[in-house]
Amino acid sequence: MKRITLLAFLTIATISAFAQHEHHQLPKKDTVPAKDPHAGHHMPKQKDTMQMDHSGHDMGNMTHAYSLNLPMSRNGSGTSWLPDNSPMYMYMTGNDRTNFMFHGNVFIRYTSTDFTAQGSRGAAKFDAPNWFMGMMNHRVGKKGLFNATVMVSFDKLVMGGEGYPLLYQSGETWNGKPLVDRQHPHDLFAAVSVGYTHAINKDMDVYAYLGYPGEPAISAPAFMHRVSAMNNPDAPLGHHWQDATHITFGVGTLGFRYKQVKAEFSSFTGREPDEDRYNFDKPLFDSYAYRVSYNPSRQWALQFSQAFVHSPEAGEPEENVTRTTASAIHTVPLRKPGSFVASTAVWGLNSKSDGHKEHSFLAESNLQLQKNAVYGRYEFVEKSTHELQLEEQFGEDKFGVHAFTLGYARTLGTFWKTNVALGAQGTAHFTNSALDGLYGKNPLSGQIYLRISPAMHR
């Protein structure tokens, strides 16, 4: 297993090292100056704030969703932060006071897990994972900013209630039974949220966020919103160890920013969404979380967070989980317009009220060279026999699962500011040999897809 882990890190490091040869010389000053919130009605272009290369982007009056003094490129999912260097794939319109943004992803694909048919848990399927998000920012006076966000997914409609095949994945239920070796579909309404931010001065903001559903202040931006994962249709195997709280029916967050540091506190509903993907679950506000985020430069976004989740699983109502996460996201633009490398590392730990502890780790990178992309993901997660529904065969135990994914995507064309890309990826899995009888030895998964998404905003 050590050789597998080493190979995974070497591959991710090679992608990043290659990109460094293409890296622009960035401005010497590595912090992000903020514009004066007392500026007049018409917001000037944020030349100081946005000195990094965005391939000719004209940022105009665009600001972060929760700050008049930060760039829009820092927006992550919920109230999380990305690096300021992050490219933005979206459609946008607006004026000096109000902006409307839209972005999303559709993967029309064929997947085969365990395509060498070594085990009995593989599956094949045509499906189309998807999500669509609209956001409005509106200035209120000289120091206020109002945000409204709606995100929807038609996963259930196109793939059914049991979701899509994904070896060693676990979490949530269908027809009252735990989903295993499948990724659950997302709810139709993945986010309906509003937020208000008040700029105390250029260095300090206070804000409030309400979502039904929404995303509490826990972990890195959800995988669907990370540029490092933009070409990978699959949810991470550690999704329920890291960022599964990105759809929570009832969440309230209060936050404070001082320069490049942000502290947040959330109260939210601990129970994960139920099997009815079209309804709005009952808000309970029985759990809480805190997160500290720090962007030391335009290239980096760091966070540490902890959530105390009450009864997340319907099948285990008496079990509570303390989820601890830390992450680092790194993004650098390259010489040619539309080229960059984005990488993410996430660690997550679930400490259950019954004393069990399970770790997870993810490292992923996306090297975008204009129309061509090469990307990879390494994952390690500890899965209990209960998670994999193997208690009858193996008793109470847990297995370390390693998965290494490598993929390639090429943009075939851009039509009406929309990219159409063709891609393929393969995943190799490694775990305890005791599972070979069920999964086969080192099962291989593969998929081919057509990706439709907004082009990079310029």
Side-chain angles (χ1 to χ4, degrees):
M1 292 301 176
K2 291 182 178 179
R3 295 174 63 185
I4 296 167
T5 305
L6 179 60
L7 176 61
F9 276 113
L10 287 175
T11 303
I12 298 294
T14 300
I15 294 175
S16 297
F18 175 81
Q20 293 298 332
H21 291 290
E22 300 288 323
H23 184 201
H24 271 305
Q25 293 295 320
L26 296 176
K28 292 182 180 179
K29 191 171 182 179
D30 225 7
T31 56
V32 183
K35 71 179 182 63
D36 184 1
H38 300 287
H41 229 40
H42 297 282
M43 294 187 288
K45 291 185 178 181
Q46 298 178 331
K47 293 182 179 179
D48 292 338
T49 304
M50 299 299 294
Q51 289 179 355
M52 74 293 292
D53 174 24
H54 271 297
S55 306
H57 292 180
D58 180 8
M59 294 301 173
N61 66 331
M62 301 186 326
T63 71
H64 189 271
Y66 299 97
S67 177
L68 290 169
N69 300 291
L70 294 175
M72 179 176 285
S73 54
R74 194 180 291 199
N75 282 338
S77 58
T79 59
S80 63
W81 279 355
L82 289 167
D84 294 351
N85 273 351
S86 301
M88 299 189 299
Y89 292 84
M90 65 170 63
Y91 312 115
M92 181 172 175
T93 187
N95 54 41
D96 288 342
R97 297 195 64 81
T98 306
N99 289 318
F100 296 92
M101 291 74 66
F102 176 85
H103 56 121
N105 246 334
V106 179
F107 291 92
I108 303 171
R109 67 171 183 178
Y110 174 76
T111 301
S112 178
T113 59
D114 187 23
F115 60 77
T116 55
Q118 295 189 55
S120 59
R121 288 206 162 189
K125 189 171 188 176
F126 283 101
D127 61 14
N130 63 87
W131 61 270
F132 307 92
M133 185 173 184
M135 185 171 69
M136 180 194 74
N137 282 353
H138 176 71
R139 287 200 61 161
V140 181
K142 293 182 178 180
K143 293 188 175 184
L145 179 65
F146 174 78
N147 171 269
T149 298
V150 175
M151 179 173 171
V152 298
S153 172
F154 298 97
D155 280 356
K156 170 72 180 299
L157 182 65
V158 299
M159 66 182 64
E162 63 179 359
Y164 59 80
L166 185 62
L167 284 186
Y168 300 103
Q169 185 62 294
S170 58
E172 302 197 17
T173 64
W174 177 241
N175 290 331
K177 297 180 180 179
L179 286 169
V180 182
D181 300 315
R182 305 193 75 87
Q183 168 61 31
H184 63 79
H186 288 107
D187 278 53
L188 173 62
F189 287 99
V192 180
S193 68
V194 294
Y196 178 78
T197 305
H198 182 79
I200 299 172
N201 55 45
K202 68 177 183 179
D203 291 331
M204 291 190 288
D205 296 315
V206 292
Y207 59 90
Y209 165 96
L210 291 172
Y212 182 55
E215 179 177 328
I218 176 68
S219 197
F223 70 95
M224 305 152 79
H225 300 269
R226 296 196 297 260
V227 183
S228 55
M230 61 181 280
N231 287 302
N232 190 335
D234 287 340
L237 296 181
H239 183 46
H240 288 262
W241 282 248
Q242 299 164 5
D243 56 359
T245 47
H246 72 107
I247 302 177
T248 301
F249 281 91
V251 55
T253 298
L254 295 175
F256 173 76
R257 176 189 71 90
Y258 177 70
K259 293 185 176 180
Q260 305 307 318
V261 179
K262 178 179 62 168
E264 302 171 279
F265 176 86
S266 294
S267 176
F268 64 98
T269 300
R271 178 61 54 86
E272 293 180 344
D274 61 24
E275 295 182 8
D276 186 346
R277 299 296 173 180
Y278 301 120
N279 71 344
F280 287 81
D281 300 352
K282 182 180 179 180
L284 299 175
F285 294 98
D286 54 6
S287 305
Y288 62 95
Y290 67 87
R291 176 168 61 197
V292 178
S293 303
Y294 175 46
N295 280 26
S297 71
R298 297 179 175 90
Q299 294 85 13
W300 289 97
L302 313 175
Q303 71 83 30
F304 174 85
S305 56
Q306 198 165 44
F308 303 90
V309 190
H310 177 73
S311 186
E313 298 284 351
E316 301 169 347
E318 302 302 319
E319 184 175 82
N320 303 319
V321 173
T322 298
R323 181 168 296 144
T324 307
T325 82
S327 65
I329 304 177
H330 183 250
T331 304
V332 289
L334 307 181
R335 286 194 183 96
K336 295 181 179 180
S339 299
F340 60 87
V341 62
S343 304
T344 299
V346 186
W347 166 76
L349 168 66
N350 278 346
S351 299
K352 299 182 178 181
S353 55
D354 62 5
H356 288 82
K357 295 184 177 181
E358 298 166 356
H359 290 266
S360 71
F361 177 75
L362 173 149
E364 64 188 17
S365 193
N366 182 71
L367 173 61
Q368 194 76 36
L369 298 175
Q370 295 183 309
K371 292 186 176 182
N372 299 289
V374 178
Y375 60 93
R377 176 186 285 171
Y378 165 72
E379 301 178 77
F380 168 76
V381 61
E382 292 179 315
K383 295 276 185 172
S384 68
T385 51
H386 178 72
E387 286 275 347
L388 298 175
Q389 295 295 288
L390 296 175
E391 288 176 298
E392 290 187 7
Q393 295 96 315
F394 298 100
E396 188 176 303
D397 201 353
K398 64 182 178 182
F399 300 99
V401 177
H402 299 259
F404 180 65
T405 299
L406 188 63
Y408 168 78
R410 177 173 174 80
T411 301
L412 302 178
T414 301
F415 312 94
W416 302 288
K417 298 183 180 180
T418 302
N419 286 341
V420 177
L422 181 66
Q425 68 182 47
T427 303
H429 305 84
F430 305 88
T431 188
N432 192 297
S433 59
L435 297 180
D436 288 357
L438 287 170
Y439 288 93
K441 185 176 182 180
N442 305 332
L444 302 175
S445 299
Q447 59 185 278
I448 185 169
Y449 60 81
L450 194 69
R451 175 176 180 256
I452 304 170
S453 62
M456 182 184 289
H457 181 77
R458 300 177 185 274

